[in-house]
Each structure stands twice: as structure tokens, then as C-alpha cells.
Amino acid sequence: MNVDRQRDEPKTRAALYTRISSDPSGQRAGVERQRRDCEAHCAARGWTVVEVFEDNDASASSGKPRRAYERMLAAVEGGGIDAIVTWHNDRLHRSPKELEAFIDLVERTRVRLAVVTGGDYDLTSPDGRLAARIVGAVARKESEDRSRRVRRKHLELAESGKPAGQLGWGVRDDGERELVREAAGRVLAGHGLMTITRDWNRRGVTGPTPAEWTAPTLRRALLSSRVAGLREHGVDPSGRTLGQLRPAVWKEAIDRPTWDQVRAVLLNPERNTNAHRPTRYLLTGLIDCGVCGARLFSRPRDDHTKRYLCAGRRRGHQLSILAVPVDELVAGQVLNLLTTASVRDAMLAQADAGDGTSLAATLAALGAAQSRLQVLDDDYYVRGALTEGRYRSVRVKLEREIDRLHASVDAVTRRRTILHPDPRSFWAEADFAQRREMLALVVERVIVAPGRPGMGRFDQSRVQVGLTPWARRGEALQRGALASPLAVPS
Ligand SMILES: [Zn+2]
């Protein structure tokens, strides 16, 4: 039993509740001030403050859990608190739902509620409950109006192509624009971001911050719509999806098609950002045994020479071939093919025709879908023209459509990126995954015939390269591309 309750003058045990939040009046909501006012309120009534509960959330209507608030309600349930003192009703309840749950608690426990500004609500009486509900509804509307006004302001800026704040790195002057063009060109030529930033730091190029250039900083700058002279509304912080794009008031650094290609390269999930990958076998999965047709697997011999080996040993034959010379041989043939103008042209034409749509058409469809998504968001959040159910179902469909278009753009632009104007320099700079993509574009299968005695360590006549259908069509236009002397890349 509670000792206090047995005295003539039972002591009222009060809990103070304060919450940091955005404050429309901008003055009196500081937590220290809230607390002092609440303490004065208790002192005037002779109440004892037993605990102060304090939450910190920036938005009044945020749905984040409030740990201190929940602990306080539990303390009330447990019978340790007779009264709650708060500075304003909107500190205590963020939504009608929370208010109703609180009213239930009051009715069960008879806890008292004292509000420093706006008077006390006696939540045990119907009038008190009505007053609290009205005050809560007004506070909620103010909060919603405020976030609508902020969104509306951002939308207006975006529609007029103006920056949301300070203009970012890359488009502030001609020097920065020149650097963006350099980086974009090098990314499309297969250079890694690390290589470029190392270079810039050596040259003393200044960036967005006084710190040295890092690959993530450059990546963010190149992915941002501002370098292409576009103002984006509804920005995805990861840079992966685009918001609604409009022509900006500032001068672009690179044009839209170049920017789209740079994005496709940087967002390619197979892009190898790890420079310290172990050496791998270039033809794994593409190379077969000429005796039994089984796939060759890669394995270093006891002397650590890399080899491709048939698993058909148990079937009475043993076939293997040195890995390094066969990799170089096939790569040389691929590069010969890709540096032949007529073959490249035929392949490029087929790349565009690939899935029946051109890159330009797919990019246009993607832009349109992203604009629809932004309009939908604004219809729901800003104009309030949709029910939540309708909004969610349309958004899910649009997101699916955008994912499909992204995949399509990735496929087409990847092929184009690989069909680079200078395949040899691309190959020299490319990482393992990029080289594999380039190979898979041209090579369907490599068949290895059994070795013949007396032909030395590596007999290139054992290796037969089967081309993909579209490479075959390209090659047919230029018979003899493979007849030229084989150049082995270093
Ligand atoms: Zn075999």
C-alpha cells in the first residue's frame, strides 16, 4: 500500500512531460522553458515532481515511437503517478488516436492532466474530453498545413527550374563544368572513379569541400541531375531513381544523353568497385571440351600454372589447356572484331533494335513514368485529391513500370558502353566484369579440341571461337576481320 495515501493530505505525485518539436510560434517551446513552466505549475499546487519524461522528435506529426511517452504511460498504469503536467496539449498528443488512447487511460486510472498553457482538461468529464479533442484537431491541422506549405514552396521552385538552396558543385562556373566533362568522358572510357580522383588530387583540383576528392563525392556529383542542367523535384538520396526533371535556370556541364550513359555505367550493379579482386579466369562458363561437350572448369595445376580442365576424365579422356594463352587469344579475336568498323556498325544497329525499342524511346518512357510518379505524389500529398488506397495501388504499378524500364535502359546502354569507340583502350582500363560483358557480347562458346603430340605447350589451332548470332551477322558483312593477324592485348 502507498504510504502517502494513508496521510491526511495525500501528496500528488506528478510526472512532467516535455517534447522537442518544430514550433510554429518559434519562441516558447524550448524544452528548458517547458520544464521550468511545468515545475512552477506543480509548485503552485503543492505537487511533487517524481519524474521528468522527455522526447525528442523534430516533427509534430511524425509517426516515430516516443519512448519516454510510452514509459510514462506505463508508469501511470503501474500506479506510480497521480498527475501528468505538460506545457501544451500538442506536446502530449500528436494525433486523435493517441488522444483517445490517453482518454481511455485516464478513465481507467483517474490520472490527472494539467496543461500549463490553455488550462487543464478534466478528461474524466465529457466537456473536458471535447475540449481536448478540439484543441488536438486544430494542432494537427496546423501541422499538416505547415508541411503542405513547405512542399508547395519546393514545388514552385522546382517548376521554375531554380535551385532548392545553394547551387552544387559542377555547374557553378566554366572551370567546374570542364571538370565534369572530363570525368564523364573518362567514366565512359572505362576509367574508375578512384583513378580520376587520384589524378585530380595530384593536380590540386578543388572540390565541393576543402577536403580531397574521394570516389563517392565524384560519384554523387556525376549522378546528380544538376550537371545535365536539370532541376529535379523529389530527389532520391541514393541517386538510383530520378524525380521529376525540368530544365534548370543554370548552364549545363554535359548534355542529357551523355549524362544518361554516365548514370548507366555508374549504377551498373556488376561494376567492380573493388580493385583488389583475386585474378579470375576470363572464359569460365564459356569454354567447352571438344571431346565430350562438357564445360571446362578452371583449376591451377600443382605448379600453379592456370589451366582449364575437362571433368570427363572418368569417361576415358583427359583434356586441359593453358588458361593465360587461351584467354589472350580469344580476347585478341574479340578486339579485332570490335575494331572493324562495319562489324561495329552492324552490332550497334542491332543493339538499338535489340528489344524492339531504341534507347531514346526507352529513356523518354522512363522520364514520363517518373513524372507521373511525381504528379501522383503531389496529387496525394499536396492537393489531397486521392484516397490513400488509390494512391498506394497506382504507385505500386508505376514503380513496377519504372523498374522494368530501368532494366531495359541498363541492358541497352551497357551494350552501347561496351561498343566503345576505342575497344582496345576500353579493354585496357576495364575491370573483370566489364571484360566478361564485352566477351559475352561476341563469344557464344569456345571449343577446345584435344591436344596433338609434338605441337608444343600451347597449340592455338585447338581453339575454335563460336560467335553470338549478332556478332556473326556483323562478321558476315566483313569477311576476313578474323583473318587479320591476331593482336594480343597486353
Ligand atoms: Zn571432355
Side-chain angles (χ1 to χ4, degrees):
M1 268 283 109
N2 194 312
V3 193
D4 288 344
R5 298 242 189 252
Q6 295 169 345
R7 304 204 325 220
D8 292 344
E9 188 92 346
K11 209 152 88 184
T12 300
R13 296 158 307 165
L16 306 191
Y17 182 75
T18 62
R19 181 159 68 90
I20 304 167
S21 143
S22 67
D23 173 26
S25 65
Q27 289 140 17
R28 289 181 52 93
V31 161
E32 273 313 305
R33 184 61 186 263
Q34 287 181 41
R35 180 194 296 206
R36 276 203 306 278
D37 288 356
C38 291
E39 281 166 356
H41 199 83
C42 290
R45 281 150 205 246
W47 294 353
T48 309
V49 177
V50 292
E51 192 164 357
V52 178
F53 295 92
E54 182 180 312
D55 273 316
N56 183 353
D57 71 343
S59 163
S61 55
S62 138
K64 274 182 292 183
R66 290 184 289 164
R67 299 196 192 290
Y69 179 76
E70 280 155 16
R71 271 195 290 114
M72 178 175 73
L73 297 192
V76 171
E77 293 272 15
I81 287 165
D82 307 310
I84 291 173
V85 182
T86 188
W87 188 76
H88 189 282
N89 197 36
D90 73 359
R91 298 296 115 174
L92 198 53
H93 312 294
R94 298 176 302 180
S95 68
K97 206 171 132 203
E98 280 184 352
L99 173 61
E100 294 308 319
F102 190 77
I103 290 172
D104 283 348
L105 180 73
V106 168
E107 285 176 341
R108 276 201 311 279
T109 63
R110 318 305 289 179
V111 68
R112 294 166 71 179
L113 172 64
V115 178
V116 175
T117 59
D120 294 1
Y121 301 96
D122 175 8
L123 295 181
T124 56
S125 79
D127 284 352
R129 287 198 289 271
L130 178 64
R133 283 173 182 135
I134 291 170
V135 169
V138 169
R140 189 172 167 78
K141 176 155 189 330
E142 277 172 359
S143 162
E144 284 172 0
D145 286 350
R146 197 157 58 241
S147 62
R148 281 212 175 111
R149 274 197 304 276
V150 170
R151 279 186 70 94
R152 165 60 56 193
K153 182 70 197 158
H154 277 282
L155 187 61
E156 279 168 10
L157 283 171
E159 278 171 346
S160 56
K162 289 176 187 152
Q166 296 251 313
L167 203 48
W169 182 91
V171 289
R172 292 179 299 190
D173 58 48
D174 285 341
E176 288 183 357
R177 278 186 280 269
E178 189 52 47
L179 287 165
V180 172
R181 279 193 289 277
E182 178 196 328
R186 291 176 67 173
V187 165
L188 292 181
H191 290 212
L193 295 175
M194 296 256 285
T195 314
I196 302 171
T197 49
R198 255 200 312 270
D199 228 38
W200 284 8
N201 288 331
R202 205 166 42 228
R203 271 155 53 187
V205 169
T206 52
T209 67
E212 287 212 315
W213 276 101
T214 62
T217 311
L218 179 57
R219 181 186 148 87
R220 262 197 305 281
L222 290 176
L223 286 177
S224 81
S225 49
R226 68 173 176 272
V227 297
L230 296 165
R231 170 61 159 95
E232 188 174 352
H233 181 55
V235 180
D236 168 8
S238 78
R240 190 154 277 279
T241 60
L242 292 171
Q244 192 172 3
L245 297 170
R246 290 190 182 76
V249 292
W250 59 89
K251 200 168 130 195
E252 70 191 30
I254 50 177
D255 62 16
R256 178 70 195 265
T258 308
W259 181 60
D260 284 331
Q261 296 226 6
V262 168
R263 281 178 61 84
V265 172
L266 293 180
L267 295 176
N268 180 356
E270 284 156 42
R271 187 180 160 81
N272 175 17
T273 49
N274 177 6
H276 306 291
R277 231 174 238 256
T279 319
R280 284 188 286 171
Y281 293 72
L282 193 62
L283 297 173
T284 304
L286 287 174
I287 189 163
D288 293 347
C289 173
V291 176
C292 68
R295 194 142 295 178
L296 299 187
F297 61 92
S298 47
R299 149 165 308 179
R301 264 196 343 192
D302 297 344
D303 63 356
H304 301 295
T305 320
K306 289 162 65 183
R307 282 176 178 270
Y308 295 105
L309 194 69
C310 178
R313 197 178 345 194
R314 273 166 272 139
R315 272 169 270 169
H317 66 278
Q318 185 171 9
L319 183 142
S320 75
I321 193 162
L322 286 171
V324 172
V326 75
D327 284 0
E328 286 179 353
L329 177 75
V330 174
Q333 293 195 1
V334 167
L335 289 175
N336 271 346
L337 204 59
L338 290 177
T339 42
T340 307
S342 57
V343 177
R344 286 173 44 74
D345 289 350
M347 290 179 73
L348 263 177
Q350 292 176 79
D352 260 359
D355 36 14
T357 46
S358 72
L359 178 59
T362 312
L363 287 172
L366 184 59
Q370 281 159 342
S371 296
R372 284 208 304 282
L373 191 65
Q374 193 61 48
V375 169
L376 181 77
D377 280 354
D378 288 338
D379 275 351
Y380 177 63
Y381 288 113
V382 182
R383 289 182 270 275
L386 287 172
T387 64
E388 184 175 342
R390 173 84 186 134
Y391 167 72
R392 296 223 179 280
S393 78
V394 177
R395 199 171 209 288
V396 165
K397 275 185 219 140
L398 266 176
E399 281 170 352
R400 240 180 255 141
E401 171 73 358
I402 287 171
D403 284 348
R404 191 187 65 74
L405 288 166
H406 263 299
S408 172
V409 168
D410 277 357
V412 178
T413 51
R414 201 177 302 158
R415 272 177 289 177
R416 272 185 174 267
T417 306
I418 289 159
L419 293 174
H420 188 265
D422 182 0
R424 286 182 200 284
S425 70
F426 181 86
W427 182 275
E429 295 269 357
D431 58 36
F432 183 83
Q434 287 170 322
R435 287 181 176 185
R436 284 281 302 194
E437 277 179 17
M438 203 161 170
L439 270 181
L441 202 65
V442 176
V443 176
E444 197 164 66
R445 299 242 63 83
V446 176
I447 314 272
V448 179
R452 288 168 297 170
M455 291 302 292
R457 273 191 98 217
F458 182 71
D459 172 9
Q460 74 172 46
S461 71
R462 292 173 63 198
V463 182
Q464 190 200 333
V465 179
L467 301 177
T468 54
W470 68 337
R472 271 205 301 277
R473 278 196 292 278
E475 191 209 10
L477 295 175
Q478 178 77 29
R479 290 274 173 224
L482 286 179
S484 59
L486 294 176
V488 174
S490 51

